[in-house]
Amino acid sequence: MERRVFMEEKRYLKWYNKVGYGSGDIAGNVVYALLAAFVMIYLTDIIGLNAGIVGTLIAISKIFDGISDVFFGAMIDKTKTKMGKARPWMLYGYFGCAVCLAAIFCIPVDMGSTAQYAWFFIAYTLLNAGFYTANNIAYSSLTALITKNNSERVQMGSIRFMFAFGTSMLIQAVTVGFVAKLGGGAAAWRTVAIIYAIIGVISNTVSVLSVRELSDEELSEGKKDDEAQEKYNLIDAFKILVHNKYFLMICGAYLLMQLYSATLGMGIYFMKYVLGTDRLFGTFSWAINIPMIVGLLITPILVARLNGMYKLNIVGYVIGTAGRLGVVIAGYMGSIPIMLFFTAVAAFGMSPLQGDMNALIATTSEYTRLTTGKKVDGTMYSCTSFGTKVGGGLGTAIAGWMLAASGYVQNAATQSQSCVNMLYIMYLWLPMIFNVLITFILVNLNVEKANKELQSQ
């Protein structure tokens, strides 16, 4: 009976709507991948700033990020325009993203160091706490606003993250060589950042224009929501979120996922000073992103076969954790081929959660509606922005602190043994630990079962 209902569920999107929506993550990952993988080495080795101070500035910036996520989520929920609730924020927010991204990589080399730190902090905070927040929450919340079909939501998530990991792979693979071909130095980084920002603006605009939001009546199955449901302030929205245990679990998982990605992004230091060349960073990027994309392709099929996301996500992360353990062992063996193999295994295992995360958040938002009677889709999707910015930012900050504590010397031919030991911890041990913690969260994150029990009452 359940299978027939699933097959007959109304469809809202054509293939080009899903692909168009997914292409929006080219824009998001132009920002995220460039910052996660290269901002620290740009600031330390090109501008000459101290890694520990940069890490501290990033950490302070995250305080503003934590406040802005719920604020923009609540604002999206209250927005009513001809374009809908989320699309205006997604469209206009990205222009600010592009300007700030370029500004971060346009720090004048002849300024005093205090002015350089201030320049970076202002541009980085405006980008993350302001424009990227508005754009990313709006983009993620569209999953719940353009379709009510859970199968389509999973497909959208898989397509979205195929674009995301494809973009990350290309940026990580080509940026070092691209900068070198442009002559290296600050001017080359500035040119690359501007080119990436323009690409982001184009892909974001295409994504916005590829879909339309459903009306409030259609989202509510033809029944107008009680006006009282919309009358809640920022504090009310925050209370709604923190009383949803599944939201807190997703926030924790998303945060750890981005910490994981950020520590892998710092792998450029490991490649340069342990494996001998930073060009290997691109090779490892292929080993991560190709298996991830393959896994995303089959995630919708697996979710349909298993009639849900819960078991698939757990099994995937068990594989992912085992894969990272293999990377640790191979790293100490000094075998690059075995490291690449287990890197690919880990990425493939982690792909289902990436593909169905947006659908999982939509299901969690439905749990809030069932338990409180309130629709807070935009606020609910603040966890994606929170996790991406705070997790990615803290991961980069932690890496900066660890580098500074280990005695890292900018552009040295070789690093001290204490620094090399720290690089092993950063690139090998931390990602595996993060995966263990995520697996533990997923075991307890069965929101699908909770919704079925509430709907049967």
Side-chain angles (χ1 to χ4, degrees), residues 123 202 251:
I202 295 170
C251 270

Side-chain angles (χ1 to χ4, degrees), residues 146-204:
I146 64 178
T147 178
K148 297 190 295 179
N149 185 309
N150 207 48
S151 176
E152 290 184 331
R153 288 171 174 169
V154 173
Q155 292 167 9
M156 288 167 61
S158 291
I159 293 171
R160 168 187 177 177
F161 283 105
M162 279 189 275
F163 277 104
F165 287 107
T167 303
S168 293
M169 177 178 64
L170 288 173
I171 287 177
Q172 292 167 2
V174 308
T175 297
V176 172
F178 193 11
V179 169
K181 284 188 177 181
L182 292 175
W189 280 101
R190 179 174 63 246
T191 301
V192 168
I194 291 172
I195 292 171
Y196 286 170
I198 293 171
I199 293 171
V201 167
I202 295 170
S203 63
N204 184 76

Side-chain angles (χ1 to χ4, degrees), residues 283-299:
T283 304
F284 275 85
S285 173
W286 285 90
I288 293 169
N289 291 292
I290 292 295
M292 184 69 75
I293 292 171
V294 172
L296 290 169
L297 279 169
I298 64 174
T299 292

